[in-house]
Amino acid sequence: MLPLRFSSVVRPLALAALVALGACSSDKKDDPTPTTPTNGFTWTTDGTNYASTTVVKSVAGGAMALLGQYKAPNNDTYNVTINVPATAGTYAVGANGTTGTLASYATTIGSTTTSYVASGSYGSGSVVVTSVTATEIVGTFTFTGEAFAPAGATKALTNGKFNIKR
């Protein structure tokens, strides 16, 4: 198996998924306890638990782009993006991470969007893909992403879980 290159395989998948995610919306309060979702993402950041209200996935060429979005009643949005190989395994993200593996978190609060990335030499963490079957993709994640602006700002996501129906 050839190593995945973010620019050649995952970037187009992530872009397509982001476009689709931007077209979706739903209002749902965050889940008080981050349990394994039945179709979506759960995670904790800054002491708050979130459950996705929208999920987008793309699996092609041995790579997966998984996105979960929580949209608050005031229209603020919180997006988790995970790009990993489409096979079960444990993947490091961030400094010295696995080629083609990326985790990011983007928030849009009012009119201000901030993106935190764990990929290449930025951030740190891991994604554990428990299973990839014809019907679902299951796993966990934890990562700390680093923002480009404001430079040096970080955001930690813990207790991350996903169960994506295919």
Side-chain angles (χ1 to χ4, degrees), residues 71-161:
K71 186 170 186 178
N74 67 357
N75 289 324
D76 290 347
T77 58
Y78 306 83
N79 299 301
V80 175
T81 304
I82 296 174
N83 296 307
V84 292
T87 57
T90 300
Y91 303 98
V93 294
N96 302 311
T98 307
T99 301
T101 301
L102 163 93
S104 67
Y105 185 61
T107 61
T108 301
I109 310 299
S111 61
T112 303
T113 299
T114 306
S115 297
Y116 304 88
V117 177
S119 174
S121 60
Y122 299 96
S124 63
S126 66
V127 176
V128 177
V129 178
T130 307
S131 67
V132 178
T133 69
T135 59
E136 68 183 359
I137 303 162
V138 179
T140 61
F141 61 92
T142 183
F143 68 90
T144 298
E146 185 176 332
F148 298 108
T154 62
K155 187 68 71 174
L157 278 73
T158 60
N159 302 317
K161 298 177 182 176

Side-chain angles (χ1 to χ4, degrees), residues 19-89:
V19 168
L21 185 61
C24 301
S25 70
S26 176
D27 290 337
K28 182 178 176 183
K29 293 188 178 189
D30 61 318
D31 184 68
T33 55
T35 59
T36 301
T38 57
N39 184 34
F41 284 74
T42 58
W43 70 92
T44 303
T45 189
D46 295 333
T48 302
N49 299 317
Y50 295 90
S52 63
T53 53
T54 303
V55 176
V56 176
K57 76 215 167 273
S58 179
V59 181
M64 299 187 293
L66 309 174
L67 296 98
Q69 178 186 71
Y70 169 73
K71 186 170 186 178
N74 67 357
N75 289 324
D76 290 347
T77 58
Y78 306 83
N79 299 301
V80 175
T81 304
I82 296 174
N83 296 307
V84 292
T87 57

